[in-house]
Amino acid sequence: MKKTCTVNIRPLTRVEGHGNIRIKIKNGKLQEAEWSVVETPRFFEAILRGKKWDNAPWITGRICGICSIGHTLASIRAVENAFGIVPDEQTRKLRLLLKHMETLQSHTLHLCFLVMPDFMNTGSVFPLIKSHGDVVLRAAKIKKLANDVCDCIGGRRLHPTRTVVGGFTMLPEKRQLHEFSERLKEITEDLMILSDLIREFTLPDFERETEFVSLKGENDYPFIGGDLVSSDGVHMKEQDYKKMTNEYIVKGSTSKWCRLSRGSFAVGALARLNNNFDFLNPAAREVAASFDLKPVNHNPFMNNIAQLVECVHVVKESVSLIDELLDSEFGEPRQEVRPRKGVGIAAVEVPRGILYHCYRFDDKGNITKCDCVIPTGQNHANIQHDLEALAEEYAAKGKDDRELELLAAMLVRAYDPCISCSVH
Amino acid sequence: MAESRTRTYLGVPMYRPRVAFFEFSSCEGCQLQILNNESTLLDFLSLVEVVNFREAMTEQSEDYEIAFVEGSITRDDEIKRLKRIRKNAKTLVAMGSCACFGGVNQLKNRFRNPAGVKREVYGAHPVDSGPVRAVEDVVGVDLRIYGCPVSKDEVEKMVLHIAIGKSIVVPKYPVCMECKRNENICLFEFGEPCLGPVTRAGCDSWCPSNRAGCWGCRGPAEDVNLRQMIRIMEEHGFSEETITDRLECFGGFLSLMKPERGKGG
Ligand code: SF4
Ligand code: SF4
Ligand code: SF4
């Protein structure tokens, strides 16, 4: 049994962006455990100052390549809220469908391409193409469908072109929606087969009680706008997001950190599920039950499973959304935009958690102030606290360097961090 | 090993180059485009041997021939890393607008007071960040793949051409040519601004085909007349501000614009 070990991962791989992990254990006692974010900042909030409102979604979408649709939709909602634009039902449904497909593609990418190698003892998905070709192909099929829908509705799978303030520049053809509906029904089966495989993995048995923050569903599992809620009982309006995030600056990190009722909180699939379990589609709830996942679950590794559950949810919900769209007559794709002075705030659930955009406009519709609070930024403090607890626990058990290194990497990876996004 | 690196293409033995992907200040979207084309990803992976791809794999190697570099350069540690990559790679490819021109990131260079930019985001907290630079402002670049994001087809075509030793041709004509070929109604008719007449083609008029105006992410086409473009935009009633917003968005047109807003801030 080894009592002294050092883990030094720089940078962590199979995540978006640059972060390092350092752990030191001496004589079975934890000396230090640190999650540090070293990504270069790009200063999006400053970049937008002085720019006209139509730049906001186009530029802020570029904060993140993985959740560019989420950023674009949050940005659009913030501008619309400032200008008093209320999207019609058709726009709302198309945006939600687009959002669902981003969730599906992002979760599948994370689960099958980034996380799965850990459970199959490889460094990447590439060797799995030979050894587990069927799994990789199934995941690729799901991702392709999600991306194809995004291409069709958003105009492009990343950095969408059709999504604008007021609606869409163009609408999909009903024939295309019909085809997607058939393909969505087909991949439900693929998701079930993937679930069976994932059920064979043994997730680390680790728990640390924390607070979970997400949007609060009224009648549905929430994605775009609404009240904010925490598992510690905090309930706030979308406009009061600053009181929910309480950003602060940490030495040695280029991303800001957040806190609410305790030292840290978590956002993301597990937080959404913990706070809104009853609104999940029954099929998704069944998958959750098969993993013994029910609220409030405090094992951060279960975020992977929560993502799987959400995949099933968004696929089922998308089929219904498409049915409703096919049953309705399409109206105008977009409404007119009349800029005015004011502040607009939006909260949107993107794959990695709740995302906020806030802009202040002058009377010409030029941006005088911009603020974006990113899900991974909200998770950093929680990751840090988890890492300490995990290292402490395993130091006591006398695990070796290699094992602890793998576990620490898997822990951070379970949050699906989007680091360049958190720094922006 | 040698065997695994030789394939045949149309019956001709083909070399399987060792490729590496690296990212600097960016959204990582261009890298993601590589993983994003599910239908051809496996074919692509049979063309090359990927030895470095931090976003997707844990293994790392310094032994590679082609380096795809994404992102713009803002910090000294980035310059050091980039120079090392240049030393290792036979061919260095700047991938995407951030790498080619600084991308949206270079918009921060337009402020005359860099300290004010930092203060806006981090308050009094000290942050290490210099002016945004394109990759070619720091090291030599052999090939450029334009776009924000790059189109996966173009990346694959380039890699194929490198592998079979065919020369690489990037269109010199503007997006309008592709847009007309795609039989789109011109956006100027809808009262929308568009930089299609001056932007380098190759994206198959990605934005105008979705009824959204071009913002020039691929930079200028060859021999463009920017002044005439500005006049056309003005005639259609677009403000100077709208025209500047588009021209400066990705950094590709900076060298043709006012000299005091040149690269490197
Ligand atoms: S060029 Fe665009 S898509 Fe590519 S990394 Fe830069 S911002 Fe992202
Ligand atoms: S829409 Fe743009 S790219 Fe197309 S023809 Fe008109 S100006 Fe050219
Ligand atoms: S149309 Fe213009 S902005 Fe759009 S992808 Fe092509 S070059 Fe870039």
Side-chain angles (χ1 to χ4, degrees):
Chain A
M1 199 193 272
K2 198 174 166 224
K3 289 274 173 87
T4 297
C5 77
T6 317
V7 171
N8 208 348
I9 308 174
R10 10 171 3 117
L12 178 63
T13 58
R14 280 185 278 128
V15 293
E16 199 275 359
H18 296 91
N20 302 336
I21 298 174
R22 204 174 57 219
I23 300 173
K24 256 199 197 119
I25 291 168
K26 216 173 161 185
N27 300 327
K29 281 237 151 50
L30 180 68
Q31 306 265 301
E32 79 173 306
E34 190 190 38
W35 163 240
S36 59
V37 172
V38 292
E39 187 76 31
T40 48
R42 287 169 295 156
F43 298 94
F44 275 89
E45 283 131 337
I47 278 173
L48 278 183
R49 188 158 33 95
K51 287 276 177 198
K52 213 177 112 191
W53 58 271
D54 62 344
N55 285 254
W58 185 253
I59 292 176
T60 57
R62 266 99 183 151
I63 288 176
C64 179
I66 302 187
C67 48
S68 59
I69 291 173
H71 273 283
T72 305
L73 292 179
S75 181
I76 288 173
R77 180 174 167 84
V79 179
E80 289 179 349
N81 282 346
F83 296 168
I85 297 170
V86 181
D88 57 26
E89 200 163 305
Q90 164 185 314
T91 298
R92 281 210 310 274
K93 284 187 175 146
L94 284 167
R95 283 177 181 167
L96 187 56
L97 180 57
L98 182 60
K99 183 92 244 327
H100 280 348
M101 291 299 106
E102 179 182 65
T103 305
L104 181 63
Q105 93 81 20
S106 174
H107 284 358
T108 310
L109 172 77
H110 178 244
L111 269 178
C112 300
F113 289 10
L114 309 183
V115 167
M116 206 160 322
D118 285 329
F119 292 97
M120 297 189 166
N121 286 319
T122 61
S124 79
V125 69
F126 301 138
L128 298 182
I129 296 171
K130 269 213 181 94
S131 62
H132 293 79
D134 58 319
V135 182
V136 179
L137 285 178
R138 224 177 276 285
K141 179 179 164 193
I142 297 171
K143 238 171 81 41
K144 179 170 186 329
L145 168 57
N147 276 330
D148 287 349
V149 180
C150 293
D151 278 348
C152 172
I153 295 172
R156 182 158 61 191
R157 54 192 59 191
L158 80 100
H159 304 330
T161 52
R162 294 187 179 186
T163 39
V164 288
V165 176
F168 288 87
T169 59
M170 252 176 118
L171 299 178
E173 289 170 34
K174 288 203 166 171
R175 152 190 81 73
Q176 294 171 301
L177 290 180
H178 189 78
E179 184 217 310
F180 291 140
S181 169
E182 295 304 311
R183 284 169 66 191
L184 279 165
K185 286 174 194 152
E186 213 185 292
I187 62 158
T188 317
E189 174 77 19
D190 297 288
L191 278 171
M192 291 307 152
I193 295 171
L194 280 178
S195 310
D196 291 340
L197 172 75
I198 294 171
R199 219 171 286 116
E200 286 170 24
F201 301 158
T202 324
L203 287 185
D205 178 23
F206 166 79
E207 280 196 353
R208 188 184 68 84
E209 217 192 285
T210 192
E211 182 173 19
F212 292 97
V213 172
S214 72
L215 281 175
K216 184 179 186 315
E218 285 308 326
N219 306 301
D220 301 298
Y221 199 77
F223 285 99
I224 303 179
D227 286 2
L228 318 173
V229 72
S230 102
S231 55
D232 281 1
V234 183
H235 180 178
M236 271 182 214
K237 292 275 166 219
E238 198 170 357
Q239 301 87 280
D240 295 325
Y241 79 101
K242 271 186 186 290
K243 284 192 229 145
M244 206 71 180
T245 51
N246 308 298
E247 278 192 307
Y248 61 103
I249 291 175
V250 188
K251 218 178 119 219
S253 167
T254 42
S255 171
K256 294 174 188 171
W257 288 24
C258 295
R259 64 162 87 88
L260 183 58
S261 315
R262 28 176 127 194
S264 67
F265 64 84
V267 298
L270 186 60
R272 285 191 288 264
L273 182 143
N274 275 336
N275 291 345
N276 296 284
F277 190 81
D278 293 344
F279 294 125
L280 279 170
N281 183 282
R285 257 181 299 174
E286 245 170 69
V287 172
S290 75
F291 284 89
D292 207 17
L293 170 57
K294 48 182 180 291
V296 176
N297 184 297
H298 288 282
N299 179 351
F301 292 95
M302 285 305 261
N303 191 51
N304 294 318
I305 308 304
Q307 288 191 336
L308 177 71
V309 171
E310 286 194 340
C311 285
V312 177
H313 174 83
V314 296
V315 166
K316 291 282 181 192
E317 296 291 303
S318 296
V319 172
S320 323
L321 265 174
I322 292 181
D323 280 347
E324 289 167 28
L325 282 160
L326 287 174
D327 275 347
S328 63
E329 283 285 325
F330 276 170
E332 285 298 313
R334 69 207 271 192
Q335 351 176 356
E336 211 188 311
V337 181
R338 280 196 204 88
R340 68 181 193 201
K341 192 174 166 160
V343 177
I345 289 166
V348 169
E349 286 284 359
V350 296
R352 288 156 196 78
I354 193 161
L355 164 71
Y356 307 96
H357 278 222
C358 166
Y359 312 111
R360 189 183 301 138
F361 295 101
D362 65 15
D363 47 10
K364 291 198 203 72
N366 291 326
I367 298 166
T368 56
K369 181 95 190 139
C370 161
D371 184 35
C372 302
V373 187
I374 312 292
T376 298
Q378 298 167 66
N379 273 335
H380 283 317
N382 211 60
I383 294 176
Q384 171 65 36
H385 289 190
D386 274 358
L387 197 66
E388 286 165 17
L390 183 92
E392 189 108 47
E393 201 171 292
Y394 282 82
K397 286 188 190 157
K399 300 263 175 181
D400 69 17
D401 296 25
R402 171 78 196 104
E403 217 172 320
L404 184 59
E405 177 172 332
L406 182 66
L407 267 175
M410 281 169 69
L411 170 74
V412 179
R413 212 170 272 130
Y415 280 88
D416 194 2
C418 198
I419 303 166
S420 53
C421 186
S422 76
V423 174
H424 60 288
Chain B
M1 190 71 199
E3 193 192 22
S4 75
R5 289 173 69 177
T6 328
R7 295 269 154 140
T8 55
Y9 178 75
L10 304 173
V12 182
M14 201 182 99
Y15 181 58
R16 204 166 154 236
R18 290 168 68 84
V19 306
F21 293 89
F22 299 98
E23 70 286 315
F24 291 85
S25 304
S26 71
C27 83
E28 300 199 3
C30 284
Q31 283 193 42
L32 198 65
Q33 281 291 79
I34 310 285
L35 298 175
N36 242 345
N37 207 341
E38 297 78 11
S39 41
T40 53
L41 181 63
L42 299 190
D43 291 340
F44 176 72
L45 289 174
S46 71
L47 273 180
V48 296
E49 190 182 340
V50 181
V51 300
N52 246 314
F53 197 155
R54 195 201 44 78
E55 193 170 341
M57 64 198 278
T58 297
E59 297 87 351
Q60 289 167 21
S61 163
E62 296 231 352
D63 176 20
Y64 44 83
E65 283 130 358
I66 310 175
F68 287 90
V69 175
E70 176 203 75
S72 61
I73 312 297
T74 57
R75 247 176 14 196
D76 289 349
D77 59 317
E78 291 187 312
I79 295 177
K80 232 165 88 190
R81 199 156 64 91
L82 180 58
K83 286 191 171 154
R84 194 184 173 99
I85 293 166
R86 176 67 274 186
K87 216 188 251 163
N88 290 339
K90 274 205 200 85
T91 307
L92 191 148
V93 186
M95 179 165 76
S97 305
C98 292
C100 292
F101 320 118
V104 288
N105 312 335
Q106 55 74 39
L107 283 170
K108 87 163 191 189
N109 293 353
R110 78 185 197 278
F111 296 105
R112 285 176 192 281
N113 173 11
V117 172
K118 289 186 193 174
R119 207 174 321 114
E120 171 108 16
V121 179
Y122 290 99
H125 184 71
V127 175
D128 180 15
S129 175
V132 172
R133 293 201 268 171
V135 170
E136 67 176 36
D137 292 342
V138 181
V139 297
V141 166
D142 303 300
L143 275 174
R144 290 166 192 82
I145 308 182
Y146 300 106
C148 179
V150 296
S151 104
K152 174 72 192 294
D153 296 344
E154 204 174 356
V155 179
E156 283 179 356
K157 206 167 79 196
M158 285 208 182
V159 172
L160 177 67
H161 283 202
I162 295 172
I164 62 174
K166 213 172 142 191
S167 63
I168 288 159
V169 194
V170 184
K172 294 176 176 152
Y173 49 84
V175 172
C176 278
M177 301 263 284
E178 292 175 335
C179 190
K180 299 219 163 83
R181 200 173 58 213
N182 286 328
E183 299 179 4
N184 296 325
I185 304 171
C186 181
L187 283 158
F188 281 105
E189 314 248 332
F190 297 109
E192 292 273 343
C194 181
L195 288 189
V198 288
T199 302
R200 182 192 294 276
C203 62
D204 200 22
S205 65
W206 222 342
C207 303
S209 295
N210 285 295
R211 218 168 277 181
C214 172
W215 287 65
C217 80
R218 297 173 59 88
E222 232 149 76
D223 304 323
V224 297
N225 188 335
L226 207 56
R227 196 156 303 149
Q228 194 186 350
M229 173 83 222
I230 293 170
R231 219 186 47 234
I232 295 172
M233 294 267 264
E234 278 167 355
E235 276 167 20
H236 279 84
F238 299 116
S239 66
E240 193 191 330
E241 178 196 30
T242 296
I243 302 166
T244 311
D245 276 352
R246 298 211 168 211
L247 283 173
E248 72 178 7
C249 190
F250 295 98
F253 289 91
L254 288 190
S255 50
L256 306 177
M257 293 165 74
K258 289 177 231 142
E260 68 265 29
R261 176 64 176 80
K263 257 188 205 161

